[in-house]
Amino acid sequence: MTGPSSGSLNIVVGVTGGIAAYKVVSVLRTLVLSGHDVHVVATDAALRFVGKPTLEAISRNVVNTDLYEGVSQVRHVAIGQAADLILVAPATANTIAKLAAGIADDLLGNTLLASRAPVLIAPAMHTEMWHNPATVANVALLRSRGVRFIGPISGQLTGDDSGPGRLAEPDDIVAAVLALIEVTSAERAAAAAVPVADAVPAAAAQDLAGRRVLVTAGGTREALDPVRFLGNRSSGRQGVAIAEAAHVRGAAVTLIGANLEVPVASGITVISVVSATELASAVSAAAPHADLIVMAAAVADYRPETIADRKIKKDTAGDRLTLNLVKNPDILMALGQNRGQNQLIVGFAAETEADDDALVQLARGKIRRKGCDLLVVNRVGWSTGFSTVDNAVLVINPAGDIVMEAAGSKLSLAHRILDLTV
Ligand code: C5P
């Protein structure tokens, strides 16, 4: 394997048999145009959805599918060994299961098993398959081994149904690949710096070494029935960036992720939750062990009073459906009221207020009510704040002063926010 510090990387893209395979063509194209050497390993099922000539023309390389081709070049292991990074997109439930079990009955399975490269998986499947306990367990197992995931997102699926299971948007997959390249390059640079006595890794100052950091990220989902939920558009990007920045700076990081749509770097302990109630329990269990708590998750303020055990049907509900909602616990406020010794608590406020002064007034009221040490305020709207790569924030202290105002990538803002806590 060659180090990914050079501009052009050897990226292997495993394409498996889902209808979303056609979308991966644009991922290949962008990676090639970004200067990378892209090698597609397609399963037989993938080629039923997208033609080999298309994949070869766009990737500008021969597409490998057959385990028994190129045997003299030991291709079943050579492709994986040469890879700097492996992306599997779309990844079916079947491929995820095989990868979790280490099954290598095709070229892609062999490639993955024979590689030490970081792996990013972009799942695509029907919601029932994504929620199936087998898939949930396989994903958790792979995550625990350091495999990263991007998506799936919620949206229209192949049939009339919609829900979680849709392939992440091609641009987001490319962004996740590029982010993973950045993370692994930084990890390698840090590792390379270690042998020199007293060397401080070049990648980041270790100013959070010894600190235990708890971060919440993502958006909670409040179930209405077995297939529907009330949710929000938070992808978890900003919270994940904070967790990764803290990790790179030497902290022991626990990330409580609510329905994250972005991959998480290895070395961070990830606890996955779905609803606000689950988030509240996970936070109350983890908070006593944290010196710094960053509550970046977008938590639903209300949840349905009852969850229907069967799908709510319009023929029985009629023309008008009334939902009764009950208030969720305010986790941040509870943390502020039961603060541990020397514990620092950072809250977030996502507001749609357009006027700057009114936004600051809102934030001042909120930090007083919530009792946190810093409040990071960002404006959100139909196209701002959530899911975007960049962000703009201001940070307020309990006296109501603006202690920081900054814009930039979510990772750069993560570092700026952490700077205020050291
Ligand atoms: O009140 P608002 O939802 O604007 O507050 C946002 C902050 O409070 C975020 O840090 C969020 O994580 C946290 N929050 C919470 N529990 C809730 C609602 C929000 O901890 N039920």
Side-chain angles (χ1 to χ4, degrees):
M1 182 167 136
T2 57
S5 51
S6 60
S8 171
L9 299 182
N10 179 331
I11 299 179
V12 171
V13 181
V15 183
T16 76
I19 189 81
Y22 77 92
K23 293 189 186 170
V24 170
V25 173
S26 91
V27 174
L28 300 174
R29 187 173 185 77
T30 313
L31 291 174
V32 169
L33 292 177
S34 307
H36 298 297
D37 191 16
V38 176
H39 295 269
V40 173
V41 176
T43 62
D44 288 339
L47 297 182
R48 291 173 179 256
F49 293 95
V50 54
K52 201 169 179 178
T54 304
L55 296 171
E56 292 195 332
I58 300 294
S59 71
R60 302 185 188 170
N61 272 314
V62 169
V63 168
N64 296 290
T65 49
D66 191 342
L67 194 51
Y68 299 102
E69 263 173 20
V71 176
S72 61
Q73 300 129 45
V74 208
R75 190 173 297 158
H76 71 292
V77 291
I79 298 171
Q81 286 171 340
D84 291 316
L85 185 146
I86 302 181
L87 165 71
V88 185
T92 57
N94 179 54
T95 295
I96 290 172
K98 282 175 31 176
L99 182 50
I103 292 174
D105 62 351
D106 60 9
L107 187 61
L108 181 59
N110 277 270
T111 300
L112 286 158
L113 215 51
S115 182
R116 293 205 179 94
V119 176
L120 176 68
I121 294 185
M125 64 195 74
H126 284 276
T127 304
E128 292 81 353
M129 298 171 97
W130 177 246
H131 283 161
N132 187 288
T135 309
V136 171
N138 290 331
V139 169
L141 181 62
L142 289 169
R143 272 194 207 281
S144 73
R145 291 182 192 149
V147 171
R148 274 82 155 184
F149 283 79
I150 165 91
I153 56 173
S154 209
Q156 182 77 50
L157 302 173
T158 312
D160 287 337
D161 49 342
S162 69
R166 187 179 157 91
L167 184 75
E169 292 306 328
D171 281 354
D172 287 339
I173 296 176
V174 172
V177 169
L178 300 179
L180 185 50
I181 291 170
E182 219 180 279
V183 169
T184 40
S185 310
E187 281 173 1
R188 281 217 184 92
V194 168
V196 183
D198 301 328
V200 177
Q206 297 295 286
D207 55 355
L208 293 177
R211 297 276 294 276
R212 297 162 307 167
V213 177
L214 173 65
V215 182
T216 67
T220 63
R221 292 179 183 173
E222 311 301 316
L224 285 166
D225 66 19
V227 292
R228 304 187 183 97
F229 58 83
L230 299 176
N232 59 68
R233 293 195 294 114
S234 173
S235 62
R237 254 183 239 279
Q238 184 63 75
V240 168
I242 291 172
E244 292 186 349
H247 170 61
V248 166
R249 288 163 71 159
V253 183
T254 299
L255 173 69
I256 304 179
N259 313 294
L260 297 179
E261 289 175 8
V262 288
V264 180
S266 59
I268 293 172
T269 304
V270 181
I271 299 168
S272 296
V273 296
V274 176
S275 65
T277 322
E278 285 174 25
L279 182 67
S281 317
V283 168
S284 80
H289 313 290
D291 310 308
L292 167 65
I293 303 177
V294 182
M295 288 287 297
V299 187
D301 291 326
Y302 294 89
R303 67 177 181 278
E305 189 167 27
T306 52
I307 302 173
D309 54 7
R310 305 182 67 169
K311 195 174 165 194
I312 299 168
K313 307 292 275 183
K314 53 183 172 296
D315 39 359
T316 44
D319 288 345
R320 205 171 275 268
L321 175 66
T322 305
L323 297 173
N324 282 324
L325 305 178
V326 291
K327 209 161 186 189
N328 276 327
D330 193 316
I331 307 163
L332 178 59
M333 201 182 281
L335 285 172
Q337 287 161 357
N338 302 293
R339 166 194 301 274
Q341 226 185 352
N342 299 326
Q343 197 172 56
L344 206 65
I345 302 171
V346 180
F348 269 67
E351 303 291 351
T352 49
E353 176 58 62
D355 179 72
D356 284 348
D357 290 340
L359 182 71
V360 173
Q361 285 313 324
L362 257 175
R364 288 183 175 140
K366 188 160 289 187
I367 195 167
R368 265 197 301 274
R369 271 198 317 281
K370 302 259 184 183
C372 50
D373 302 295
L374 292 170
L375 188 73
V376 182
V377 188
N378 67 316
R379 205 172 258 133
V380 289
W382 294 108
S383 59
T384 43
F386 287 142
S387 294
T388 53
V389 174
D390 287 344
N391 202 4
V393 300
L394 56 86
V395 182
I396 294 233
N397 69 10
D401 306 320
I402 299 175
V403 291
M404 186 184 102
E405 218 171 336
S409 73
K410 289 185 174 171
L411 188 59
S412 71
L413 291 178
H415 280 291
R416 302 276 312 267
I417 293 165
L418 289 174
D419 287 346
L420 299 173
T421 71
V422 277

